[in-house]
Amino acid sequence: MPIPEDVTGEEIDKDVRQELQSLPKTLADDVARNLVMVARLLDEDPEGAYGYSRVALRLASRVAAVREAAGFAAYANQKYGEALAEFRAAKRMTGNIDLWPVMADCERGLGRPEKALDMAGAPEVHKLDKAGQVEMRLVAAGARRDMEQLDAAIVTLQSPELAANSVQPWTARLRYAYADALLAAGRESEAREWFAKAVEADRDGSTDASDRLAELDGVEFVDAITDDESDTDDVSDGGDSSEEEKKD
């Protein structure tokens, strides 16, 4: 797959670069450039990211960072079985348990919420940092909802991290998940309160909490251009239809 000339491979994390030092330099550079493309495309073009991850995997399957990147690319494309296999491989290579929550979420994706809950209660969870433990809590709550245990999902999300006033990287998502669980359980007024709290914490727009809040408040978004204005524009343009209309 073609890689833009401006991608050198130097953009990757220094720890990953260090892992790649076990490879011949030319090969390491090729793998690094493919990993850069995976990271660059993962959110906006998951299929493209997946393609680059497969190239990196073919070149260096014994490098843990490559297996992890391949796992996240597969995960982004909802290839949960493949993602789980890659995450397990990366964990075997490094002994690192940081991937435990996303591995549990793969189990959910495979239709095995009970397995995800087993993982949420495993000793590995105690070895996770605070962000990892919050992520595990989110996955466990999702598993409860998969099993239609709405009250249990709500209780699972109730935690010191949820109650804290300080805003952390996970705060918006945690509050959003709690609000969504409350709404699913029919507790609309409480859900509105927590969607509002999620909006307060969501500084980078990582959730659609503001839209959900507006929806609960009965706010409707309409197009700025009304049908009458659109008709006027058509007349002023000599009645020519737009490209979209021609396509229709």
Side-chain angles (χ1 to χ4, degrees), residues 47-59:
E47 286 188 18
Y50 180 75
Y52 285 105
S53 77
R54 301 308 295 177
V55 174
L57 196 57
R58 188 169 67 247
L59 294 173

Side-chain angles (χ1 to χ4, degrees), residues 16-78:
V16 177
R17 168 62 69 177
Q18 192 168 0
E19 269 194 75
L20 296 177
Q21 287 180 355
S22 62
L23 304 173
K25 187 177 186 314
T26 302
L27 179 59
D29 289 343
D30 286 344
V31 173
R33 295 179 73 214
N34 277 282
L35 291 181
V36 170
M37 293 305 297
V38 173
R40 182 178 288 190
L41 297 177
L42 195 59
D43 292 332
E44 296 180 3
D45 180 12
E47 286 188 18
Y50 180 75
Y52 285 105
S53 77
R54 301 308 295 177
V55 174
L57 196 57
R58 188 169 67 247
L59 294 173
S61 62
R62 295 185 179 181
V63 176
V66 171
R67 303 302 290 266
E68 183 173 330
F72 278 110
Y75 179 79
N77 284 276
Q78 299 182 3

Side-chain angles (χ1 to χ4, degrees), residues 101 128-136 170:
L128 294 169
D129 61 14
K130 182 63 71 177
Q133 290 180 5
V134 170
E135 197 65 36
M136 193 71 250
W170 59 77

Side-chain angles (χ1 to χ4, degrees), residues 170-205:
W170 59 77
T171 303
R173 290 178 58 237
L174 185 58
R175 291 177 179 179
Y176 182 95
Y178 189 58
D180 195 44
L182 288 167
L183 188 61
R187 295 160 62 174
E188 188 171 315
S189 61
E190 293 172 85
R192 191 210 171 280
E193 175 189 348
W194 282 96
F195 276 127
K197 290 182 178 181
V199 171
E200 291 174 6
D202 195 359
R203 295 166 180 170
D204 58 359

Side-chain angles (χ1 to χ4, degrees), residues 150-188:
L150 295 180
D151 290 341
I154 291 168
V155 171
T156 298
L157 293 167
Q158 292 170 346
S159 61
E161 294 80 20
L162 179 67
N165 291 323
S166 62
V167 174
Q168 303 294 337
W170 59 77
T171 303
R173 290 178 58 237
L174 185 58
R175 291 177 179 179
Y176 182 95
Y178 189 58
D180 195 44
L182 288 167
L183 188 61
R187 295 160 62 174
E188 188 171 315

